[in-house]
Amino acid sequence: MKQLLTALLSLILFISCSKDKDEVKDYTAENEKEIVDYLAQNNLTAQRTNSGLYYIITKEGESQSEGENTEGNENDGHPTLNSNITVIYKGYFTNGKVFDESTEGVSYSLRTLIPGWKEGIPLLKSGGEIQLFVPAHLGYGSNGNKTVPGGAVLIFEITLVSVN
């Protein structure tokens, strides 16, 4: 019984210690400052949403003409979460280092993309262009992915080629 109790206590200590490694860090305040500083240093004026996404629409785009496929695009030419979109984009950090880029149109279901894109892309119509300043909680979070470190602010320059 004493061995079972010792083993159980050891397991509890191990689990509680390992949780520290998986703890999610909140980068909200750091990211906000990093974005605001970047905008100021580059003389940029951006809009901020309630979620903390900053954006600059450089070209709104136009509604698709009659005869084009507008399925899932019932919001006055703007894509919805149910839309499939084709985009050209460049993603980089505030230090200018590019982590992802597409110079030819790539298609995605908007629903499958990071929250910052889900919120920012519907602000455009086909042919529109936007610059998104994405805090970590709307990007890849505190864990990151293969090319993005946890807690990173992401900047995207996106052209919405079409809403398919």
Side-chain angles (χ1 to χ4, degrees):
M1 180 73 167
K2 189 174 181 181
Q3 289 175 330
L4 180 60
L5 188 56
T6 303
L8 185 58
L9 183 58
S10 296
L11 180 62
I12 290 171
L13 285 173
F14 175 75
I15 291 172
S16 66
C17 288
S18 67
K19 282 186 180 178
D20 292 341
K21 294 177 190 173
D22 296 333
E23 203 171 289
V24 175
K25 182 176 177 190
D26 184 1
Y27 288 94
T28 306
E30 289 172 44
N31 288 173
E32 180 77 16
K33 182 178 179 342
E34 186 175 343
I35 292 169
V36 169
D37 288 350
Y38 180 90
L39 293 169
Q41 290 167 3
N42 292 282
N43 291 323
L44 298 171
T45 303
Q47 301 295 312
R48 183 186 186 279
T49 68
N50 290 336
S51 70
L53 176 71
Y54 283 82
Y55 67 93
I56 300 170
I57 296 175
T58 52
K59 182 179 176 186
E60 186 178 339
E62 300 176 10
S63 295
Q64 292 180 322
S65 60
E66 281 187 48
E68 289 189 49
N69 181 1
T70 57
E71 186 176 326
N73 181 24
E74 301 165 0
N75 195 11
D76 197 23
H78 295 270
T80 68
L81 279 180
N82 294 321
S83 299
N84 289 311
I85 58 170
T86 300
V87 293
I88 295 172
Y89 68 93
K90 178 167 82 170
Y92 53 98
F93 303 113
T94 55
N95 66 7
K97 182 181 178 195
V98 175
F99 63 86
D100 193 13
E101 183 172 22
S102 169
T103 55
E104 296 183 18
V106 246
S107 296
Y108 300 104
S109 168
L110 187 54
R111 182 174 301 285
T112 64
L113 301 176
I114 62 171
W117 279 44
K118 289 179 188 177
E119 186 176 352
I121 299 288
L123 299 171
L124 302 175
K125 296 177 184 177
S126 290
E129 298 174 2
I130 194 166
Q131 193 170 17
L132 298 178
F133 304 87
V134 182
H137 70 276
L138 297 175
Y140 294 102
S142 61
N143 294 327
N145 71 11
K146 289 186 277 185
T147 58
V148 175
V153 168
L154 309 175
I155 302 173
F156 291 98
E157 294 175 5
I158 303 168
T159 299
L160 180 58
V161 176
S162 65
V163 180
N164 308 315

